[in-house]
């Protein structure tokens, strides 16, 4: 299976124009940045492999995408979590439910594992060098579109978790002849120091590092913020696009707080993750729907 280039739309939000790279529409089941990161494992031959093994949270987008990859390849999928909420276990939904339906074998705290020739071990969140392969293709699609539309200076924005997508994207542009796009991102999972450390782990050369933007206020991953819910609702209302509820609300808040970025043509990358909204949205609705806090 090969991907076709994902579409790019021209939209406005809060009276500011931007382009949107719809990586959420890459494929019905295998989309977003996890599909880009795992594309290498879909496209290449692995004659010895019969199982994918990974670990992380029980709600993770990476977990779901790996379950799809395993299914497409006819491989098993073993996934370890260090904790699973009783509520989720009793009421499976979102990424967790879909991954189980794809045959995921879940363990809780399985302890140490040993590398085995038939097992493909994947880092949490798909933070690994093979991700560069699929993200390079994303970069090529953007450069092609930029040329076709004769866009001189281009800013790109995408929110980060591990920072793998943003870093390999910026790296792919370094070799491009000027005007080369500038990649901006923000730290959603840890703080800016954590994200910078992730960049260094993937690439020593700082010219490959995206520019990190942030808000004054501290932000905790997975926590509910009325500002996040508000901007997510407003995005949907004004653009008609459903964004993810974990990364995109902070991404948009950060982007709007730095108007200098959007003063040039700006491409926001929709990195998928909408299935994860099945767990976030009811939490937001319980907390804020009909309340004066919005
Ligand atoms: C995983 C994910 C991210 C973060 O990607 P990194 O490459 O880890 O920085 C951002 N948005 C969505 C929707 C994701 O699923």
């Amino acid at each position: 299976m090969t991907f076709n280039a994902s579409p790019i739309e021209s939209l406005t939000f809060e009276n500011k124009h931007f382009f949107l790279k719809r990586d959420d529409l890459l494929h019905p089941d295998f989309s977003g940045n996890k599909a880009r990161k795992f594309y290498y494992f879909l496209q290449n031959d692995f004659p010895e492999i019969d199982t994918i093994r990974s670990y992380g949270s029980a709600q993770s987008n990476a977990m779901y995408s790996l379950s799809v990859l395993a299914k497409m390849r006819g491989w098993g999928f073993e996934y370890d979590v260090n904790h699973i909420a009783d509520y989720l276990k009793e009421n499976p939904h979102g990424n967790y439910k879909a991954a189980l339906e794809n045959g995921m074998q879940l363990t809780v705290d399985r302890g140490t594992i040993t590398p085995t020739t038939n097992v493909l071990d994947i880092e949490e969140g798909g933070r690994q060098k093979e991700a560069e392969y699929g993200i390079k293709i994303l970069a090529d699609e953007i450069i092609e579109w930029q040329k076709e539309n004769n866009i001189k200076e281009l800013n790109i924005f995408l929110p980060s978790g591990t920072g793998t997508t943003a870093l390999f994207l910026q790296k792919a542009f370094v070799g491009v002849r000027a005007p080369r796009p500038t990649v901006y991102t923000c730290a959603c999972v840890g703080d800016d120091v954590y994200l910078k450390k992730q960049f260094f782990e993937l690439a020593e050369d700082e010219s490959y590092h995206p520019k990190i933007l942030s808000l004054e206020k501290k932000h905790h991953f997975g926590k509910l913020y009325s500002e996040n819910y508000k901007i997510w609702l407003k995005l949907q209302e004004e653009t008609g696009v459903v964004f993810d509820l974990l990364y995109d609300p902070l991404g948009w808040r950060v982007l709007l707080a730095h108007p200098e970025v959007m003063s040039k043509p700006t491409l926001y990358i929709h990195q998928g993750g909408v299935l994860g909204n099945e767990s976030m949205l009811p939490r937001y609705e319980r907390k804020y729907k009909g309340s004066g806090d919005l």
Side-chain angles (χ1 to χ4, degrees), residues 49-114:
I49 297 298
D50 60 25
T51 302
I52 296 177
R53 184 165 59 182
S54 191
Y55 62 97
S57 108
Q59 289 284 30
S60 127
N61 296 332
M63 173 194 73
Y64 168 66
S65 294
L66 285 174
S67 78
V68 175
L69 171 66
K71 196 175 164 189
M72 283 174 163
R73 300 232 41 167
W75 294 339
F77 177 41
E78 298 173 3
Y79 190 78
D80 191 62
V81 296
N82 51 33
H83 170 78
I84 178 162
D86 289 338
Y87 179 78
L88 182 60
K89 223 168 147 178
E90 284 151 24
N91 307 278
H93 59 275
N95 288 323
Y96 174 75
K97 180 174 186 231
L100 287 176
E101 284 168 358
N102 285 335
M104 171 175 70
Q105 301 280 321
L106 192 82
T107 52
V108 181
D109 260 332
R110 74 184 148 204
T112 50
I113 48 165
T114 36

Side-chain angles (χ1 to χ4, degrees), residues 57-61 87-88 91-97 222 224 244-246 273-286:
S57 108
Q59 289 284 30
S60 127
N61 296 332
Y87 179 78
L88 182 60
N91 307 278
H93 59 275
N95 288 323
Y96 174 75
K97 180 174 186 231
L224 305 185
D244 119 288
L245 265 162
L246 271 174
V274 172
L275 186 57
N277 288 357
E278 275 186 31
S279 58
M280 286 300 281
L281 191 55
R283 291 178 63 205
Y284 268 120
E285 286 174 345
R286 274 196 300 272

Side-chain angles (χ1 to χ4, degrees), residues 63-264:
M63 173 194 73
Y64 168 66
S65 294
L66 285 174
S67 78
V68 175
L69 171 66
K71 196 175 164 189
M72 283 174 163
R73 300 232 41 167
W75 294 339
F77 177 41
E78 298 173 3
Y79 190 78
D80 191 62
V81 296
N82 51 33
H83 170 78
I84 178 162
D86 289 338
Y87 179 78
L88 182 60
K89 223 168 147 178
E90 284 151 24
N91 307 278
H93 59 275
N95 288 323
Y96 174 75
K97 180 174 186 231
L100 287 176
E101 284 168 358
N102 285 335
M104 171 175 70
Q105 301 280 321
L106 192 82
T107 52
V108 181
D109 260 332
R110 74 184 148 204
T112 50
I113 48 165
T114 36
T116 322
T117 49
N118 67 314
V119 175
L120 182 62
D121 280 301
I122 305 279
E123 288 290 332
E124 179 170 19
R127 178 174 59 88
Q128 79 257 328
K129 61 180 186 338
E130 289 87 351
E132 187 165 6
Y133 177 91
I135 296 167
K136 173 80 170 60
I137 296 170
L138 168 61
D140 290 342
E141 289 175 20
I142 293 170
I143 292 164
E144 190 68 21
W145 165 84
Q146 190 187 356
K147 271 193 205 142
E148 270 169 24
N149 291 277
N150 201 18
I151 296 168
K152 293 275 177 287
E153 279 184 274
L154 180 67
N155 287 333
I156 295 179
F157 187 92
L158 67 166
S160 280
T162 65
T164 310
T165 311
L167 181 118
F168 284 133
L169 200 55
Q170 183 65 82
K171 186 178 176 194
F173 294 137
V174 168
V176 172
R177 269 195 299 143
R180 81 170 71 108
T182 305
V183 177
Y184 292 89
T185 190
C186 65
C188 296
V189 174
D191 59 10
D192 292 5
V193 176
Y194 157 84
L195 185 57
K196 192 71 185 168
K197 216 175 119 208
Q198 296 292 309
F199 289 165
F200 273 115
E201 273 181 28
L202 291 164
E204 286 279 330
D205 185 344
E206 276 196 80
S207 68
Y208 295 165
H209 294 192
K211 292 190 167 50
I212 301 173
L213 305 175
S214 46
L215 297 176
E216 297 280 301
K217 244 165 98 182
K218 227 178 141 73
H219 186 276
H220 297 274
F221 190 63
K223 218 181 123 177
L224 305 185
Y225 294 91
S226 64
E227 297 94 324
N228 286 4
Y229 186 38
K230 242 189 280 188
I231 202 164
W232 181 85
L233 288 170
K234 198 161 186 217
L235 276 161
Q236 193 164 335
E237 199 178 285
E238 289 193 17
T239 67
V241 177
V242 178
F243 285 84
D244 119 288
L245 265 162
L246 271 174
Y247 299 89
D248 288 323
L250 183 64
W252 274 103
R253 285 169 61 201
V254 169
L255 183 53
L256 293 179
H258 293 85
E260 69 276 13
V261 177
M262 287 181 100
S263 69
K264 291 183 184 149

Side-chain angles (χ1 to χ4, degrees), residues 23-43:
D23 261 13
D24 56 319
L25 303 179
L26 265 181
H27 179 274
D29 305 312
F30 196 58
S31 72
N33 73 343
K34 302 306 179 296
R36 297 286 189 183
K37 286 161 119 175
F38 300 141
Y39 197 50
Y40 177 86
F41 300 110
L42 187 64
Q43 290 298 91

